[in-house]
Structure formats: structure tokens, C-alpha cells
Amino acid sequence: MRADYLFGQPVKRGHVRVVRETERHWNYREQKYETEEGDKYEGDVDADGRFGSAHQPRPGARRAEARRLFSLSRSFLCGYFTDATTNRTEQRRFDLRLTKDPIHVYIH
């Protein structure tokens, strides 16, 4: 995940929170979505305005890690990026796609 200002420069000081939405429904009275959150990952961005983590699971935990990633791939994720200089937060929903092949080519 990364963030850029409108003029193209990366946001160098920010905080990222990525959550798994376990449930989402519309509240007609409040006129907004209400969500229930599952797993949460958060941290600060680097000097290039990027947030990301990659880790290798322990040898005995590969099956549990695969189950956890599969459950993440079947639900929506939501990323919140907070700019530390303005304290403004932007949100984006996305889904996670798991594949055994490293490269995909799409032709439209």
C-alpha cells in the first residue's frame, strides 16, 4: 500500500491500518455502512510512502498460514491511510487474490 499527494510526491509520514471486514451492512437510520472487523495489520510508512510486510511462515505453520490467507481471500479488506501532517484519513476497500502463478496476463 502506498499514498501519494495530488502533485505526485509520496506521503512520507503516515500510518496505515488494514482490516478484514467480517460483516458490512447499511444502517438506514444513520445513512452509513456499519462494519465488523476481523484481523488487523498496522504500521507506519517508510521514506518512500510505502507500507508492506512480507514474512515467511514457520515450517510447521504453513498449513495454518494457508488457511488464514484463504479466509482473507474470501473477504473484503479495507485500508486506512492517515497522513501524519494533516491527520486526514483516506479509506479504500480491496480484495486479496491468491494464486499459484506469479504472473497473470489479462487481454481486454
Side-chain angles (χ1 to χ4, degrees):
M1 179 179 278
R2 70 176 206 160
D4 294 325
Y5 290 111
L6 291 175
F7 50 87
Q9 295 295 318
V11 178
K12 296 184 181 195
R13 292 182 43 221
H15 186 78
V16 174
R17 185 170 68 98
V18 178
V19 297
R20 181 173 59 94
E21 292 182 349
T22 57
E23 187 174 325
R24 182 177 189 226
H25 60 274
W26 182 255
N27 182 333
Y28 290 99
R29 177 173 287 189
E30 299 289 327
Q31 292 294 300
K32 65 177 186 176
Y33 280 104
E34 293 180 350
T35 60
E36 293 182 25
E37 298 176 352
D39 299 331
K40 177 174 72 169
Y41 308 93
E42 60 184 311
D44 295 325
V45 297
D46 61 11
D48 295 326
R50 295 181 185 273
F51 171 78
S53 63
H55 66 280
Q56 185 68 22
R58 297 181 313 278
R62 289 192 190 276
R63 188 173 301 240
E65 182 75 9
R67 265 194 238 104
R68 185 184 66 78
L69 284 173
F70 183 69
S71 71
L72 281 177
S73 71
R74 293 179 21 210
S75 59
F76 279 101
L77 298 173
C78 190
Y80 300 92
F81 191 100
T82 303
D83 182 357
T85 58
T86 62
N87 209 26
R88 181 183 168 105
T89 301
E90 293 289 333
Q91 160 187 342
R92 172 80 43 107
R93 290 182 76 219
F94 59 96
D95 58 351
L96 179 67
R97 181 174 169 192
L98 298 178
T99 179
K100 68 176 187 157
D101 299 319
I103 297 175
H104 293 270
V105 177
Y106 297 96
I107 300 173
H108 296 274

